Amino acid sequence: MRKDSLQKLFMFGFLVSFSKVSLAELVSLSEEEERSATAQASIEVEASLYTNAQSVTIEDAANPNVPGDIGGGRLRFEDFELGHNFIEEQVTSDNPNGRLDLKLLIEVVPVSELDPGTPAIALAEGDVLKQQMNDLNADVKIGAIRPGDDNSAPSFGQLFIDELEIDESVTYLYSIQDSQSIGIDTVINQTIGRVEYTDVETNGSSNPEGGGSIAFNDITMSELDLYGTRLNSVSGNENPYDNSAAVQVTLPSITNGFVSIGGIQIGGERDRNSAAYYDQQVAAVTMSGLQNDASTLYLYTPTLGDGVRLAQSMDLRVDDLTVVGGSLDVATAVRRSLAYSAEQVRQDLNQLREDRGYVDPQIGNPAAGFDAEYDQLFTSLTSLEGELATLDDVDTATLEARAEELNAGYYQQGNEENDGVGSLSFKGLTISSDESIVSIDIDSDNALVISAPVTNGRIGIEDIYIGSNSIGGISVEGLNIPVNEYRITGKQ
């Protein structure tokens, strides 16, 4: 595989899989090195970092030996930032809020000490690398997505990912017996506070179109069990789709995953306590009982031409997909508002402890009555955490009164505008298709070109509900969409 192809594969994989990232280089040791190696129980890493890249460029070089090669263009991601809480305020050396903090524990675990049921018990050759991540709270910003090299070219827009939270995330990495494959076992449990896309005009147009935002708020992914993921590098002879080397990913079955979006919002209001924030939310979506049969995915660049190719079949089932109009339910609104307030107070308290030296073990936290500001923050945090811990026992009437106190936006929409707003539910939704090849290229006009044909597609819904009323089911067989191409460009 060409060097530039490998670079593109890496970048593509990075961009589409920002959730949990485990990078490792596996090197076989000689017998002498193995005998002299010294065991270490674990490595603990507490990291504090902030990353800012002025631009990241992806180039799809045209191949002159291939007539009609679609490549020849560039796509540039500008003002990339990775940190925490930097979107509303400038990050400086004196502003620790811009830094991303995380805790990482790395252990080499003998197979005999693994929990029962972990696939590595039966599959691992040698010991297992266990990685446990805690307390990750990250924000990501891409200030502009721009085609080509011209700074005046219209941007596709801006992208923000706020409050990506991962806690108690455990990943097992190991070599599989009698193969060249790497095994990865993990369960995804994570939340994202907000994913926001903004259509930004950058060229001073006198009559601009755009400038608005769409956001997906309060995203939860839980019990996405990816135990049994396999990575393998195969030669061109082993790639069934092209005579080029490929990354072969064997994906396991998902048996009971849950995904929810608390609010799909059209408009850029960020203040959770404002009426506009909730007025702009058009719907919420939940998917429960998410199931996906095991499948194999091939990722490669073609022998003739450039770009990225992704080959995979589809076999997905969702027991219940529900779209709900209007606002959040009262219990969720109260819980999220309290949790948001508690996090703000916790940050203020931690900052005060640093500023006044209380983090020094020889000084410690002050006694009650010694520091009035510390006492106020500590009491406020204790009260909020206590209320959060007892919310499950609070009756609906009390929750509604508390929602009014905390969140006028929720109360107004929930009690004046949302009466009678129904839901649309799909029970037993299945989507499947035969193997097809998705092509991702950047053409000579610097447009992002995505081709995603569908072969022998099948869509079935066992029951469709509008509110509590069933209107029956539907099925589509033999769906073929051989031409399914998207060309994405910036607009002057």
Side-chain angles (χ1 to χ4, degrees):
M1 186 181 289
R2 298 181 301 278
K3 179 180 179 181
D4 60 334
S5 299
L6 284 170
Q7 291 172 336
K8 284 184 289 184
L9 279 178
F10 170 77
M11 182 57 65
F12 174 75
F14 172 80
L15 292 173
V16 300
S17 63
F18 184 81
S19 59
K20 295 181 180 177
V21 183
S22 296
L23 302 177
E25 180 181 358
L26 303 183
V27 181
S28 297
L29 299 178
S30 67
E31 290 185 6
E32 181 178 353
E33 289 172 323
E34 288 177 343
R35 285 194 299 268
S36 62
T38 301
Q40 182 168 326
S42 64
I43 299 173
E44 296 185 28
V45 179
E46 292 190 16
S48 179
L49 58 93
Y50 167 75
T51 302
N52 185 327
Q54 192 171 27
S55 67
V56 177
T57 301
I58 301 176
E59 181 176 1
D60 188 3
N63 191 327
N65 300 318
V66 180
D69 178 18
I70 199 172
R74 294 183 176 186
L75 195 63
R76 192 167 73 255
F77 299 85
E78 299 178 354
D79 298 327
F80 172 85
E81 289 185 82
L82 174 63
H84 178 231
N85 200 28
F86 54 74
I87 291 176
E88 300 294 348
E89 54 185 308
Q90 184 177 3
V91 176
T92 67
S93 59
D94 297 327
N95 175 23
N97 289 331
R99 301 170 190 163
L100 163 64
D101 297 320
L102 64 92
K103 297 178 182 178
L104 181 64
L105 176 65
I106 302 174
E107 299 177 277
V108 179
V109 182
V111 173
S112 60
E113 296 181 11
L114 292 174
D115 294 333
T118 305
I121 289 180
L123 297 175
E125 180 175 1
D127 296 331
V128 175
L129 185 67
K130 177 182 177 182
Q131 303 170 72
Q132 180 171 327
M133 182 182 295
N134 296 312
D135 302 330
L136 173 68
N137 193 327
D139 297 334
V140 182
K141 172 188 174 183
I142 300 176
I145 305 171
R146 204 180 304 278
D149 288 323
D150 187 356
N151 289 333
S152 65
S155 168
F156 295 173
Q158 294 181 340
L159 183 66
F160 297 118
I161 301 175
D162 294 359
E163 298 179 12
L164 168 63
E165 296 185 7
I166 301 176
D167 196 19
E168 297 296 334
S169 161
V170 180
T171 299
Y172 299 92
L173 184 68
Y174 53 91
S175 177
I176 298 176
Q177 298 172 11
D178 302 322
S179 76
Q180 299 297 314
S181 299
I182 296 173
I184 301 176
D185 297 333
T186 188
V187 177
I188 294 179
N189 290 292
Q190 68 180 35
T191 62
I192 302 174
R194 183 181 181 90
V195 176
E196 176 184 313
Y197 168 78
T198 303
D199 181 11
V200 178
E201 289 289 337
T202 60
N203 298 324
S205 173
S206 58
N207 296 298
E209 296 182 16
S213 295
I214 182 170
F216 301 89
N217 296 319
D218 300 307
I219 302 168
T220 299
M221 289 170 275
S222 60
E223 297 305 318
L224 294 179
D225 186 341
L226 300 183
Y227 273 24
T229 303
R230 306 287 176 256
L231 298 180
N232 195 15
S233 177
V234 300
S235 67
N237 293 332
E238 299 172 288
N239 182 353
Y241 302 98
D242 195 284
N243 188 29
S244 65
V247 176
Q248 180 191 57
V249 184
T250 303
L251 298 171
S253 297
I254 296 175
T255 56
N256 194 31
F258 174 83
V259 178
S260 73
I261 302 173
I264 300 174
Q265 175 185 344
I266 298 177
E269 177 61 53
R270 289 175 171 272
D271 184 0
R272 303 182 188 213
N273 292 318
S274 74
Y277 180 92
Y278 289 93
D279 290 344
Q280 292 168 357
Q281 295 198 83
V282 296
V285 179
T286 61
M287 290 189 293
S288 59
L290 179 63
Q291 303 170 49
N292 187 54
D293 283 353
S295 60
T296 301
L297 177 151
Y298 288 84
L299 184 65
Y300 61 95
T301 60
T303 303
L304 300 178
D306 279 291
V308 175
R309 301 294 181 266
L310 190 153
Q312 187 188 20
S313 61
M314 184 183 299
D315 196 349
L316 178 72
R317 176 183 171 90
V318 181
D319 287 344
D320 190 336
L321 188 154
T322 300
V323 181
V324 181
S327 63
L328 303 172
D329 67 273
V330 62
T332 301
V334 171
R335 187 178 300 279
R336 288 176 179 166
S337 183
L338 290 173
Y340 179 76
S341 298
E343 178 60 25
Q344 298 305 305
V345 174
R346 186 178 295 108
Q347 290 181 14
D348 291 343
L349 182 61
N350 289 338
Q351 184 63 55
L352 183 140
R353 293 180 68 246
E354 287 188 16
D355 292 344
R356 300 188 179 175
Y358 299 149
V359 292
D360 187 337
Q362 295 183 354
I363 299 176
N365 295 327
F370 178 81
D371 186 330
E373 186 176 358
Y374 177 91
D375 290 346
Q376 187 272 326
L377 288 171
F378 181 81
T379 301
S380 178
L381 180 59
T382 302
S383 175
L384 288 166
E385 290 179 337
E387 188 174 0
L388 277 167
T390 58
L391 274 186
D392 291 340
D393 300 325
V394 178
D395 60 83
T396 302
T398 303
L399 283 171
E400 289 177 348
R402 190 70 172 115
E404 183 178 5
E405 296 173 0
L406 292 169
N407 196 321
Y410 162 79
Y411 182 77
Q412 179 185 4
Q413 185 173 20
N415 289 273
E416 295 177 12
E417 300 176 9
N418 198 34
D419 289 342
V421 172
S423 63
L424 177 64
S425 297
F426 301 95
K427 310 289 186 180
L429 169 65
T430 57
I431 302 174
S432 62
S433 70
D434 292 347
E435 290 177 324
S436 60
I437 300 175
V438 176
S439 302
I440 303 173
D441 296 277
I442 304 170
D443 69 11
S444 58
D445 293 325
N446 297 314
L448 180 63
V449 182
I450 302 174
S451 175
V454 175
T455 305
N456 195 25
R458 298 170 292 278
I459 302 173
I461 304 174
E462 296 173 3
D463 226 334
I464 302 173
Y465 281 84
I466 298 178
S468 59
N469 300 316
S470 170
I471 61 173
I474 189 172
S475 65
V476 178
E477 296 285 342
L479 177 65
N480 290 280
I481 310 177
V483 179
N484 185 26
E485 186 171 284
Y486 305 88
R487 191 172 183 271
I488 303 171
T489 62
K491 182 177 181 296
Q492 293 283 5

